Amino acid sequence: MILHELLSYDTLRVIWWVLLGVLLIGVALADGFDMGVAALLPFVGKTDEERRIAINTIGPVWEGNQVWLILGGGAIFAAWPPLYAVSFSGFYLAMFLVLAALILRPVGFKYRNKRPDAAWRSRWDWALFIGGGVPALIFGVAVGNALQGVPFGLTDTLVPVYEGNAILKLLGLLNPFALLAGVVSAAMLVTHGAAWLSFKAEGKVAGRARSIGSVSGLVAVAAFVLAGLWLAYGIPAYHYAAEVPANGPSNPLWLPMERGGSWLEAYAVRPWIVVAPVMGILGIALASLILRKGGGGWALLASKLGIFGVISTVGLTMFPFILPSSVQPGASLTVWNASSSHQTLFIMLVCTVIFLPIVLAYTAWVYRVLWGKVGAEELRSNPNAY
């Protein structure tokens, strides 16, 4: 009870904003290299054996890595109910595409080796490519739309309202800036996947991954810088029009919000956040350079640093906004108006403090057990290999 009183409502809101960012970064760091490897599969493996090597670098761990995606969705549902309601209802067709692509991944892993036919296996390899490439792209597109503002409104009873049918809404999400953000995401995760293959695979698979990753890393850096300039000088920001009590009610319509100015103003208010984009640029650029030089483990660490920086840049630049509204700025969702109750956030924090270390410890143990490179000899000696 004492701890509950010490952790004020505004403190818990910020803690859960940070935890949401941690979970999203966890998705990109863990499940991200799975997506990157799958997207690289048709290009790093010229023979069936080479493609099996690539698949078996992620085969034992992809299911555990996907837990981060589930945790992220669960955290949004429990800690930020309005965000869950607005985003999942407005993006449901895009999310359906992501889920359909993700479903191809377990099916591809399980069905690919059921028949020795080359055409059969090739079709499943391309299915795995879709299962990795489509989510990597769509996740970036979603972030790009969040930065611009999403065309939703709220009624007086806080019911989200979208204009247009599902197809028009999906096409609206595929705007130039959002697609550029999608390129950042896809290129970044391809680089991450290439670093993983360079670290984990042997032979020609690792060599081709290094060649592709060294280029995709440069693409990711260039697209990230271009998106940053576009965001700073071409896309209006959002801000509160009045003083914000951080422990106020969770009602997006409670205080007026406006659209105008530049997102770059966040760096004048909080200059220390410039560390995030610098980390993103240097991390991915360093991963590209190390891959070009033939490295593996250090490239993977650098790509992790870059991903941390890129995702942190988005959150820190937008703070306190989480999902702005482009058609009704006053309905925008922020850290201060879209959270669950004080009691709910506290109980969830206690559960997180207990169970998250267990998840991390188990994950570390799994990677320790599965340590080592995957090559042709491993495939021949391991009866459980895909």
Side-chain angles (χ1 to χ4, degrees):
M1 184 61 70
I2 296 177
L3 183 59
H4 179 271
E5 293 174 356
L6 289 175
L7 291 173
S8 62
Y9 197 11
D10 54 323
T11 301
L12 282 171
R13 281 170 159 167
V14 173
I15 289 174
W16 271 102
W17 173 78
V18 172
L19 285 174
L20 178 60
V22 168
L23 292 173
L24 294 178
I25 291 171
V27 172
L29 293 182
D31 209 24
F33 70 73
D34 294 339
M35 296 178 191
V37 170
L40 286 169
L41 184 59
F43 311 106
V44 297
K46 301 302 182 182
T47 66
D48 181 65
E49 183 176 77
E50 290 174 350
R51 288 189 287 272
R52 287 186 65 205
I53 290 174
I55 289 171
N56 279 277
T57 64
I58 60 174
V61 297
W62 72 267
E63 289 177 293
N65 291 340
Q66 202 158 253
V67 167
W68 291 98
L69 184 61
I70 299 170
L71 289 175
I76 293 174
F77 174 77
W80 309 98
L83 175 62
Y84 183 89
V86 171
S87 60
F88 277 60
S89 60
F91 295 160
Y92 71 89
L93 190 54
M95 290 184 177
F96 176 80
L97 292 176
V98 170
L99 290 174
L102 290 176
I103 288 171
L104 289 175
R105 188 161 52 172
V107 177
F109 285 140
K110 300 299 182 182
Y111 277 49
R112 184 186 184 277
N113 289 337
K114 296 298 183 182
R115 293 172 59 184
D117 180 62
W120 168 269
R121 293 188 172 186
S122 177
R123 285 193 290 269
W124 285 115
D125 289 340
W126 283 104
L128 290 170
F129 164 78
I130 294 172
V134 169
L137 178 67
I138 296 298
F139 287 150
V141 168
V143 171
N145 278 282
L147 286 163
Q148 297 176 94
V150 178
F152 73 91
L154 292 175
T155 67
D156 293 340
T157 55
L158 302 184
V159 176
V161 178
Y162 284 85
E163 296 182 0
N165 59 43
I167 299 298
L168 291 178
K169 285 189 286 187
L170 177 62
L171 294 176
L173 297 177
L174 301 176
N175 55 76
F177 179 79
L179 289 173
L180 178 60
V183 170
V184 175
S185 175
M188 179 175 69
L189 295 186
V190 164
T191 305
H192 196 40
W196 174 257
L197 285 174
S198 178
F199 170 67
K200 190 73 174 173
E202 293 181 343
K204 294 181 179 179
V205 174
R208 295 189 188 106
R210 294 187 192 107
S211 298
I212 298 173
S214 62
V215 175
S216 64
L218 297 179
V219 171
V221 170
F224 180 59
V225 172
L226 178 59
L229 294 173
W230 192 342
L231 183 70
Y233 300 106
I235 297 176
Y238 294 80
H239 57 88
Y240 272 100
E243 186 76 20
V244 185
N247 60 349
S250 288
N251 182 348
L253 302 179
W254 182 47
L255 289 175
M257 290 174 275
E258 299 174 348
R259 189 178 190 188
S262 170
W263 286 114
L264 204 61
E265 295 170 5
Y267 293 85
V269 177
R270 304 183 297 275
W272 59 271
I273 68 176
V274 74
V275 172
V278 170
M279 188 186 302
I281 293 170
L282 292 181
I284 299 174
L286 187 60
S288 174
L289 178 62
I290 295 173
L291 287 172
R292 186 177 296 276
K293 297 295 184 180
W298 287 110
L300 185 61
L301 290 175
S303 70
K304 288 179 181 291
L305 179 68
I307 289 171
F308 184 93
V310 169
I311 297 177
S312 297
T313 298
V314 176
L316 292 171
T317 300
M318 292 182 66
F319 184 87
F321 286 84
I322 303 176
L323 190 66
S325 169
S326 59
V327 297
Q328 187 185 347
S332 299
L333 306 181
T334 75
V335 173
W336 312 127
N337 69 17
S339 73
S340 292
S341 68
H342 187 182
Q343 182 76 6
T344 300
L345 295 182
F346 177 76
I347 293 173
M348 287 177 56
L349 181 61
V350 172
C351 294
T352 302
V353 169
I354 294 172
F355 291 107
L356 187 57
I358 296 175
V359 173
L360 292 173
Y362 173 75
T363 301
W365 176 78
V366 168
Y367 278 91
R368 182 178 180 277
V369 170
L370 298 173
W371 192 262
K373 288 186 174 291
V374 177
E377 185 60 34
E378 166 72 13
L379 297 183
R380 299 187 188 101
S381 62
N382 185 1
N384 296 314
Y386 286 105

